Amino acid sequence: VDVFPSIIIGPNRSIVPVGTFAEAQAQFLDPDPDAVVTLSENLRNANMGVVAHYYMDVELQGVLHAVGQEQEKDFGSSRIAIADSLAMGDHAVRMCREEGVAAIACLGVDFMAESVSAIMERSGFGHIPVYRATMDPIGCSLAESAERDTYRAWLKTASQDVAALHVVYINTSLETKAISTSLVPTITCTSSNVLATMLQASAQMGPGKLKILYGPDTYMGTNLITMFDAILSAGETAEEPWDDARIARDLHPEHNRDSIQALRDSIDVYQNGICVVHHMFGGEVVNAVKRNYDNAFVTAHLEVPGEMFEIAMTKSLEGKGVVGSTSDILKFISKKVAEAAESGPGSASDPQRLQFILGTEAGMVTSIVKSVQDILDRTGNQNVEAEIVFPVASDAIMSVDDGGPDLAVVPGVGGGEGCSTAGGCATCPFMKMNDLDALNDVVEMVLSTQADPKSSIHEVSLRGHLPPDRLKGKMLGDARAIDMGIEPIMYMRQFMQDKRLPDELIQKVTAAASIKV
């Protein structure tokens, strides 16, 4: 691979795909008006809201964006939210509280539907159903890695004889969270707040007095250690040194170089958990980025393998990259485009093109395109373009011999995983189990049930679309398993609100450590 496929977003809402993979992504950015009208009317009649992850396919995201904009224009608010896994639950609660929706469609994998339902229950809206797009299980390779006996054995062994806190990625099942809580004090994190969670936990317990167990995402945990190493290696002789003052200003007011070193040394990362999507940013892709995209901005999700992460990490220290969550990536690209667009009107004859390597799932491009278009519309700048580059290996697409002239390639390899073993990812196969037809089917079933409450046909079918309930009726010791599964999520939400870990959680860490002694 020498040149990756890309989408160029320009003034006046122009979109130019470069390469067949980009063409496959771009064809649905301008949604079918009939599809928008159908979904919009059905959602309104069913009184439903939709929360969807950024990794939905571009056709579904394009329609959802258009429906949301229509709702904003007609009613002043939207019942559509496309977000990361942390914000999906918050949006669902808002729709219940402010919009009075009767049901929520959750478009993502099963643990997301579980989390959304749990947050709604704790917020007083447990009576409002959450429906998945399909009756089939929507799995996740990363979440499943934490459901093995090896993960539980690691928690038991790593937490022996020390004050330990388990920081578990939200991309896990409620069962994993419940069992983890029964073994060691646990708080949930997302890629947006994992760094802040670790910094605050270390600050509250004291440098060197807390062991942090992070799992199951091996790449994310390793990348966090790499980030701390990069900060510590950028000493006073560096061009932009990470001295005590900068650490206190940019990372955490109660930290310095010594405490960051102590925190870095206290992190124990589970070594056998990967996301099949981010795992594929491998050697071929990394070499091509280094060779041909030296001047580009580089974005990378915290879950990508080390080499890709290190490129983005190095760039981020220079202000030319970002490492973090899907929301962090979207904010970074939007900020850079806004800075360029607001610098002056420019001239269409001499465009300024900002190039961004998209180091995460390709479905993110829909939200990026909409944000860039809004910025260029708002500023009226005719001189700025944003090129979103998909770092996809040459065999991350497959030919379709009998698809006709309009379908020469489709994203993904022949096995259907959507990724290439040589590196570079097209799409998440699990997320793509959510599609426009499946969503419309769910909404129509809700409408049919509302129209004929005495008929049980669609009601029975809708039960199959509810989130998994593997913890229903189960106990862990003297506590309900469902409560133990929700507890780490609520600790995270309290931390996000108060900017401090809950006293109850800190007391559990201290109490568990005293028992071990």
Side-chain angles (χ1 to χ4, degrees):
V1 176
D2 289 319
V3 179
F4 292 125
S6 65
I7 289 178
I8 301 168
I9 312 159
N12 306 314
R13 297 193 166 256
S14 66
I15 297 174
V16 180
V18 179
T20 49
F21 178 83
E23 290 170 2
Q25 297 296 305
Q27 63 178 317
F28 294 116
L29 289 173
D30 188 13
D32 177 5
D34 290 338
V36 173
V37 170
T38 297
L39 181 60
S40 181
E41 289 182 352
N42 284 346
L43 285 172
R44 182 172 65 252
N45 292 333
N47 193 23
M48 288 182 66
V50 178
V51 292
H53 194 269
Y54 284 124
Y55 290 173
M56 294 299 98
D57 71 66
V58 287
E59 178 187 21
L60 179 55
Q61 283 203 54
V63 172
L64 288 174
H65 270 288
V67 171
Q69 289 174 342
E70 184 177 282
Q71 291 176 346
E72 287 275 4
K73 181 176 65 176
D74 293 343
F75 307 109
S77 62
S78 173
R79 296 180 175 186
I80 304 289
I82 301 173
D84 60 17
S85 52
L86 171 63
M88 288 170 69
D90 294 330
H91 284 297
V93 170
R94 175 188 61 79
M95 292 176 197
C96 295
R97 179 177 293 128
E98 299 178 9
E99 304 293 332
V101 297
I104 293 287
C106 180
L107 307 181
V109 294
D110 283 350
F111 68 76
M112 295 178 181
E114 280 187 317
S115 295
V116 168
S117 181
I119 291 170
M120 286 170 56
E121 180 180 349
R122 283 302 179 95
S123 301
F125 299 103
H127 59 289
I128 295 178
V130 174
Y131 296 120
R132 302 175 304 122
T134 174
M135 295 177 69
D136 296 326
I138 308 178
C140 170
S141 58
L142 179 62
E144 289 163 5
S145 69
E147 295 173 4
R148 304 182 186 123
D149 290 340
T150 51
Y151 192 80
R152 297 162 193 179
W154 167 71
L155 282 177
K156 292 178 182 178
T157 302
S159 62
Q160 286 180 349
D161 304 323
V162 292
L165 174 66
H166 178 214
V167 180
V168 63
Y169 196 21
I170 197 171
N171 293 8
T172 48
S173 67
L174 278 183
E175 183 177 36
T176 292
K177 296 179 180 74
I179 293 174
S180 298
T181 297
S182 72
L183 298 174
V184 60
T186 297
I187 184 172
T188 302
C189 74
T190 71
S191 49
S192 299
N193 64 25
V194 59
L195 177 60
T197 301
M198 291 184 177
L199 288 167
Q200 185 59 35
S202 177
Q204 283 184 236
M205 288 294 295
K209 295 182 180 179
L210 177 69
K211 185 175 184 178
I212 294 178
L213 313 181
Y214 176 78
D217 195 309
T218 304
Y219 285 139
M220 186 182 296
T222 303
N223 288 340
L224 286 165
I225 293 175
T226 299
M227 180 186 297
F228 287 130
D229 285 339
I231 290 170
L232 291 167
S233 65
E236 294 182 0
T237 59
E239 185 175 338
E240 290 194 36
W242 278 93
D243 53 18
D244 288 350
R246 185 180 179 189
I247 287 172
R249 182 187 73 239
D250 295 344
L251 283 183
H252 193 285
E254 296 178 51
H255 276 283
N256 53 40
R257 290 182 61 84
D258 289 340
S259 66
I260 292 296
Q261 182 69 63
L263 170 56
R264 181 250 182 258
D265 293 341
S266 74
I267 301 172
D268 188 332
V269 177
Y270 180 64
Q271 292 302 309
N272 295 296
I274 63 167
C275 165
V276 68
V277 174
H278 296 104
H279 178 60
M280 296 299 175
F281 288 97
E284 181 185 340
V285 166
V286 169
N287 291 335
V289 170
K290 291 179 178 178
R291 186 171 61 247
N292 301 317
Y293 293 89
D294 186 57
N295 293 323
F297 295 100
V298 179
T299 72
H301 196 278
L302 277 172
E303 294 181 54
V304 302
E307 283 187 284
M308 188 71 177
F309 178 85
E310 288 174 12
I311 294 174
M313 181 68 210
T314 300
K315 289 272 192 175
S316 72
L317 295 176
E318 305 167 356
K320 293 204 66 177
V322 65
V323 293
S325 67
T326 48
S327 292
D328 294 328
I329 291 172
L330 178 60
K331 289 175 184 176
F332 175 81
I333 293 174
S334 300
K335 178 183 177 184
K336 291 299 180 182
V337 172
E339 288 174 351
E342 292 168 357
S343 63
S347 169
S349 62
D350 184 25
Q352 177 188 3
R353 181 175 297 173
L354 308 179
Q355 196 173 58
F356 299 91
I357 304 293
L358 185 61
T360 190
E361 214 268 2
M364 272 293 295
V365 73
T366 308
S367 293
I368 293 170
V369 167
K370 300 303 181 186
S371 177
V372 171
Q373 288 178 331
D374 289 346
I375 291 168
L376 297 182
D377 285 349
R378 173 175 57 80
T379 61
N381 195 309
Q382 298 292 306
N383 187 47
V384 172
E385 298 174 338
E387 181 178 13
I388 310 303
V389 179
F390 302 100
V392 183
S394 56
D395 56 351
I397 56 176
M398 65 176 181
S399 298
V400 180
D401 296 331
D402 58 353
D406 294 329
L407 189 61
V409 298
V410 296
V413 295
E417 289 296 316
C419 298
S420 158
T421 54
C425 188
T427 58
C428 170
F430 306 107
M431 290 290 190
K432 297 316 180 275
M433 292 175 70
N434 300 267
D435 59 36
L436 185 58
D437 288 339
L439 175 59
N440 276 318
D441 288 345
V442 170
V443 179
E444 287 171 4
M445 278 190 282
V446 172
L447 284 169
S448 296
T449 301
Q450 293 172 348
D452 187 7
K454 295 182 180 180
S455 174
S456 62
I457 297 176
H458 293 296
E459 183 179 353
V460 171
S461 296
L462 280 171
R463 288 176 192 163
H465 290 264
L466 295 171
D469 59 353
R470 289 180 291 181
L471 298 184
K472 185 176 182 179
K474 293 183 179 180
M475 303 290 290
L476 285 171
D478 296 329
R480 290 198 316 156
I482 186 69
D483 290 335
M484 297 188 75
I486 294 174
E487 181 179 275
I489 300 175
M490 303 314 294
Y491 283 152
M492 177 188 70
R493 289 172 64 81
Q494 191 172 338
F495 165 61
M496 296 300 292
Q497 176 180 313
D498 300 339
K499 309 305 179 186
R500 285 181 55 82
L501 268 63
D503 291 339
E504 178 182 288
L505 177 59
I506 295 298
Q507 290 167 5
K508 287 186 176 183
V509 172
T510 305
S514 64
I515 292 173
K516 293 167 187 173
V517 175

